[in-house]
Amino acid sequence: MSSKPLSSQAQSSPSPSSQSPSGRPAAAAAPIGTAHATLRYTSMRASIFLGCLLVTLLLGHFGIIPVVGATGFVFLVLIAALVSAPLSYVLLSRQRDAMSAQIADRVGAKLRTRTGDRIAAQNAEEDAADDAARAASAQQN
């Protein structure tokens, strides 16, 4: 048992709620799931499609959906696509929103830098023209 009072021990150690598991402060922790939102959404959408395709193939195998040759297989793939689209729309709305925010942030950052560069180039061009006009005016006087 230590001889320190209990209150000083509580003050010396940081509270577990103020830090993330990685050791960073909670305020600086990156939100979970925003790093690879596009990859996550795409893989989940493909998984839903493959699950629907498996179900339709099983239904075709057991004769619930009539399948005849290669055209029957194409028909099963189309059914799987038609079923997986609304399922993905409903089930993956949160992932789609995260992906959309990630893409919008990247596009916005690129647009801001391009606009800033273009404005700086225009300002430099105007400054050069103004300096040239002042120099010509000074030579005439």
Side-chain angles (χ1 to χ4, degrees), residues 70-137:
T71 57
F73 178 74
V74 172
F75 179 67
L76 292 178
V77 171
L78 288 174
I79 289 175
L82 287 173
V83 170
S84 69
L87 284 175
S88 296
Y89 183 76
V90 172
L91 297 175
L92 301 179
S93 64
R94 189 172 30 152
Q95 288 80 9
R96 189 174 50 256
D97 291 342
M99 179 183 68
S100 171
Q102 180 185 22
I103 291 170
D105 289 344
R106 287 184 182 172
V107 169
K110 286 181 182 180
L111 186 63
R112 281 189 297 273
T113 57
R114 281 190 214 154
T115 303
D117 292 345
R118 189 172 55 236
I119 289 172
Q122 288 173 351
N123 287 342
E125 191 176 302
E126 288 176 3
D127 290 344
D130 187 44
D131 290 343
R134 287 180 191 218
S137 172

Side-chain angles (χ1 to χ4, degrees), residues 5-21:
L6 222 61
S7 63
S8 68
Q9 288 178 349
Q11 292 174 355
S12 65
S13 65
S15 67
S17 64
S18 68
Q19 289 191 350
S20 67

Side-chain angles (χ1 to χ4, degrees), residues 56-57 59-61 63 65-73 75-76:
T56 57
L57 288 175
L59 292 174
H61 177 71
I65 299 175
V67 179
V68 178
T71 57
F73 178 74
F75 179 67
L76 292 178

